[in-house]
Amino acid sequence: DPTLGGPEVTQAARAGDPVAVAAFQAVGQWLGHGLAGLVAVLDPGVIVVGGGLVGSTLAEKLAGDGHDVVLVERSAELIADLNENLDVQTIRGNGATIPVLMKAGIESADLLLATTDSDEANMVVALVGSVIFKVPRVAARLRDPGHEEGFRRIAREPGGERVAINPDMAAVEKILSLLPVPGAVDVVEFFDGD
């Protein structure tokens, strides 16, 4: 189940599991649809809220690129897995609360990524980060088009860069781009190549 995130999904993807591979491709698309530009101009100082597949993958990539990453996650079990497998600072707690965000260092963060599986929590994290703490770059993972639209309206207000990204739609776009013939779903090659 790719929503679990952590080492199980990473191992499954490396073993070629199609669901895990698709999940990682969706995360890659997410990076390519808006975050790449935000990350390129960063000084170190990244907070990732949500340690599932999207959050842990982003934290791993950003830490590997030399950024100081703090990952906030509610689940003690997931925190234990993350501590074993990632070279990032972890904080256990509700990332949609001001005390936890302050413990994570939001007052000096350059980038805040809200990647939980809850649109509502991600919106709260993003709004607290951008409005109260004036984090210069904020990205929120939002799946519901209504939430995306609301966040985009807020993002138009002055006060930093704000991006709403839907990794599910990015995955759909990627899959559709792989279909060479409109309407084709399965292509099977026979033994002799016909």
Side-chain angles (χ1 to χ4, degrees):
D1 180 356
T3 60
L4 294 175
E8 298 87 11
V9 175
T10 302
Q11 290 169 354
R14 287 185 182 138
D17 178 270
V19 173
V21 169
F24 271 91
Q25 288 175 336
V27 171
Q29 287 284 34
W30 199 56
L31 275 169
H33 280 99
L35 285 184
L38 293 177
V39 172
V41 295
L42 281 183
D43 294 326
V46 180
I47 298 173
V48 179
V49 177
L53 175 65
V54 173
S56 63
T57 303
L58 290 169
E60 181 177 34
K61 166 82 172 108
L62 291 167
D65 289 346
H67 300 286
D68 292 326
V69 178
V70 178
L71 195 149
V72 178
E73 170 57 45
R74 294 178 80 150
S75 165
E77 184 177 310
L78 193 50
I79 284 282
D81 287 342
L82 295 168
N83 283 333
E84 280 186 35
N85 295 294
L86 298 180
D87 186 22
V88 300
Q89 179 185 350
T90 58
I91 295 175
R92 182 169 177 247
N94 181 350
T97 64
I98 289 175
V100 171
L101 289 171
M102 289 183 70
K103 185 175 180 183
I106 195 162
E107 294 167 309
S108 61
D110 297 303
L111 174 64
L112 174 62
L113 304 174
T115 66
T116 74
D117 60 1
S118 165
D119 279 9
E120 292 81 4
N122 291 340
M123 286 188 71
V124 169
V125 170
L127 290 173
V128 166
S130 63
V131 174
I132 296 174
F133 290 102
K134 310 292 187 224
V135 176
R137 296 169 193 88
V138 176
R141 171 190 182 190
L142 301 173
R143 289 186 164 138
D144 182 297
H147 291 138
E148 281 185 77
E149 177 59 29
F151 190 79
R152 284 197 174 102
R153 287 182 182 204
I154 293 166
R156 292 183 199 132
E157 297 296 317
E161 297 177 58
R162 299 178 193 108
V163 178
I165 301 170
N166 185 330
D168 295 336
M169 289 307 299
V172 167
E173 290 170 13
K174 175 66 174 173
I175 290 167
L176 291 175
S177 75
L178 297 175
L179 297 175
V181 179
V185 176
D186 293 322
V187 176
V188 178
E189 187 173 321
F190 294 99
F191 288 110
D192 62 358
D194 295 333

